[in-house]
Amino acid sequence: MYFNELARKWDTDIRIERGKLLAKSIYKNIELKKDITALEIGCGTGLITMELREILKEIYCTDISKEMLKVLKEKIEKYKADNIHLINNEAVYKEEFYKYFDLIYSSMVFHHIEDIEKELCKIYKILKRNGILIIIDLDEDDGSFHKDEEEFRGYNGFNRETLKIILEKQRFKKIKFETVFRGEKKTKDKLIQYSLFLCIAKI
């Protein structure tokens, strides 16, 4: 798996700084309280969650990459972050977690998900009433961002209005977007510009 191979090299200076900025964009957009139980979908090495660990009561983390989770587990042990829990991708959607989470967030994950509507349906079930979903992802582009990644089979970012319609179809409301990051990525033949949006939605 692509992410397994990159896990030990994932935490570059650029990604660390971006993780800090995105974590700030999350807690600026919600009313944070110490009793919030959160879930990060596609946590990777935990760059965002580690920034939020002292703000949130409990954080559950899931990822399809076992190697990424190994790196995060090492961080949890190193920093004694006992309020961060690793959980299986499928287990978190079981009935025992229905209406369990106050906050669910993800970063650069949704453009990898094949069936977004199905994923949102599952997320809706495990969010508490008045719960918050935060999606941070790529604005739609021409495919340049993933051009050099032969294994990539996802979306070339998202049109914000299209994503809003999909969220509304799955009963999410009070949906709003804002740009939270602008960056550059070097590909084989050029330097491209890209932007990330933060989408916040409630149930």
Side-chain angles (χ1 to χ4, degrees):
M1 182 187 291
Y2 172 76
F3 289 107
N4 280 336
E5 295 170 2
L6 293 179
R8 292 291 165 183
K9 302 176 182 178
W10 191 256
D11 290 4
T12 62
D13 290 343
I14 291 174
R15 289 197 179 105
I16 290 169
E17 287 306 310
R18 188 175 72 183
K20 291 178 180 179
L21 187 150
L22 297 181
K24 287 180 182 178
S25 74
I26 290 173
Y27 63 70
K28 280 169 58 179
N29 273 278
I30 61 174
E31 183 182 348
L32 287 175
K33 300 174 183 176
K34 271 290 184 181
D35 61 350
I36 284 181
T37 297
L39 166 68
E40 181 175 13
I41 297 171
C43 60
T45 62
L47 290 175
I48 293 178
T49 283
M50 291 301 292
E51 294 295 321
L52 296 174
R53 72 185 190 277
E54 295 182 359
I55 299 170
L56 304 178
K57 179 183 177 182
E58 304 283 342
I59 309 175
Y60 289 75
C61 294
T62 182
D63 200 284
I64 61 171
S65 169
K66 292 181 180 179
E67 294 303 316
M68 289 281 194
L69 290 176
K70 283 182 182 179
V71 175
L72 176 53
K73 185 179 180 181
E74 291 168 7
K75 292 180 183 179
I76 292 170
E77 293 171 352
K78 178 179 179 179
Y79 295 102
K80 296 180 170 47
D82 298 331
N83 63 329
I84 299 177
H85 315 288
L86 306 185
I87 187 167
N88 180 274
N89 267 0
E90 296 304 318
V92 77
Y93 292 118
K94 291 186 177 178
E95 193 170 347
E96 63 189 280
F97 285 103
Y98 283 7
K99 305 300 179 187
Y100 190 85
F101 296 103
D102 303 287
L103 168 68
I104 296 176
Y105 60 94
S106 76
S107 174
M108 300 292 279
V109 171
F110 266 70
H111 69 268
H112 290 281
I113 297 174
E114 183 177 340
D115 191 336
I116 295 172
E117 291 192 25
K118 182 179 179 181
E119 185 74 13
L120 289 172
C121 181
K122 293 193 294 185
I123 288 171
Y124 191 95
K125 292 177 181 178
I126 62 175
L127 267 175
K128 290 180 181 178
R129 185 174 181 179
N130 299 316
I132 296 172
L133 170 64
I134 289 180
I135 300 170
I136 299 173
D137 218 310
L138 285 166
D139 278 304
E140 191 173 33
D141 77 349
D142 61 2
S144 295
F145 191 89
H146 293 97
K147 182 180 178 181
D148 297 339
E149 300 168 31
E150 294 181 5
E151 294 184 18
F152 180 71
R153 297 292 183 271
Y155 297 85
N156 295 321
F158 294 101
N159 175 282
R160 299 184 186 191
E161 188 59 33
T162 301
L163 182 56
K164 182 174 184 288
I165 291 170
I166 293 172
L167 284 160
E168 289 174 337
K169 186 177 178 181
Q170 297 301 323
R171 297 173 289 168
F172 287 88
K173 57 189 179 181
K174 296 182 180 178
I175 301 161
K176 64 178 183 178
F177 291 81
E178 66 174 276
T179 301
V180 289
F181 186 81
R182 295 186 186 276
E184 296 179 337
K185 180 179 180 179
K186 188 176 182 181
T187 63
K188 288 180 180 178
D189 54 6
K190 63 179 179 179
L191 188 67
I192 64 164
Q193 309 291 319
Y194 70 93
S195 60
L196 305 183
F197 63 78
L198 179 146
C199 171
I200 183 168
K202 300 181 181 181
I203 66 169

